Amino acid sequence: MSEKRKNVKLSKTSIVSPSRTVNIQTAHCPKGCDLMTDKVKIHNLNSICVKGDWGNQEGLVYLDPEFGSYEHVSEIDVPDGGIVKFSCPHCGTSLVSETETCHSCSSPVFTLILPKEGEVSACIRKGCFEHTLKIESFETMQIQFDNDFIKIIM
Ligand SMILES: [Zn+2]
Ligand SMILES: [Zn+2]
């Protein structure tokens, strides 16, 4: 019964959830630094803090922890279409994937590690809302495909 599948790619990101949405509560950089912060709250939740570089600007970017929501808070002012390089604010490791690109616009994607659950990747182009969720454990999360919509039941 305990069916495990890896690398389930969800290219459509409309989430239909009758009762609750997916909130990211733990996110790590590839080296294991905790990226969650309570300094900036989004939807009253701890946000995910990463360092952003765009052109010659750099600053902290607080990502909306609600999957499929985009109320990010940024110290740098990036116009739509700008490509922001994300890295870990603690150890400086780049979060940008060298092997994957966005399905919509072919920009690089950045990846956050969700301990025990998998990882989430998102496009680094501002204004592009492509997300991919890779779930490693179906014990904690169940996903149903319904045409273009995805239901995630925790
Ligand atoms: Zn780190
Ligand atoms: Zn994109």
Side-chain angles (χ1 to χ4, degrees):
M1 282 295 284
S2 84
E3 184 188 350
K4 284 197 178 181
R5 292 160 68 191
K6 287 208 165 184
N7 292 353
V8 175
K9 295 203 175 187
L10 310 180
S11 59
K12 306 275 183 177
T13 58
S14 309
I15 292 179
V16 177
S17 177
S19 54
R20 56 188 294 185
T21 49
V22 175
N23 299 323
I24 294 170
Q25 283 160 358
T26 47
H28 288 179
C29 89
K31 298 234 165 113
C33 310
D34 186 356
L35 299 176
M36 303 307 291
T37 180
D38 58 9
K39 271 198 304 182
V40 172
K41 300 251 185 186
I42 301 174
H43 312 293
N44 238 348
L45 300 163
N46 292 348
S47 61
I48 304 159
C49 179
V50 298
K51 192 164 147 278
D53 280 280
W54 182 74
N56 52 14
Q57 291 187 63
E58 68 172 49
L60 296 175
V61 180
Y62 300 93
L63 301 172
D64 191 334
E66 193 173 298
F67 188 79
S69 178
Y70 306 98
E71 292 174 30
H72 309 315
V73 175
S74 177
E75 289 179 355
I76 50 177
D77 191 20
V78 181
D80 275 359
I83 304 263
V84 187
K85 294 206 177 101
F86 288 122
S87 58
C88 173
H90 306 290
C91 71
T93 299
S94 173
L95 302 176
V96 178
S97 169
E98 286 172 8
T99 53
E100 281 187 67
T101 52
C102 171
H103 301 291
S104 294
C105 72
S106 302
S107 298
V109 298
F110 72 98
T111 299
L112 304 170
I113 312 292
L114 311 183
K116 294 194 213 129
E117 287 174 18
E119 54 187 64
V120 59
S121 302
C123 182
I124 64 173
R125 179 190 294 271
K126 187 168 182 207
C128 178
F129 295 137
E130 187 76 15
H131 274 58
T132 302
L133 185 63
K134 291 181 185 174
I135 303 296
E136 283 175 357
S137 170
F138 272 73
E139 286 159 15
T140 53
M141 200 182 276
Q142 188 188 350
I143 295 183
Q144 295 175 355
F145 293 87
D146 179 11
N147 296 326
D148 287 344
F149 294 99
I150 298 157
K151 294 176 185 168
I152 299 183
I153 301 151
M154 300 288 285

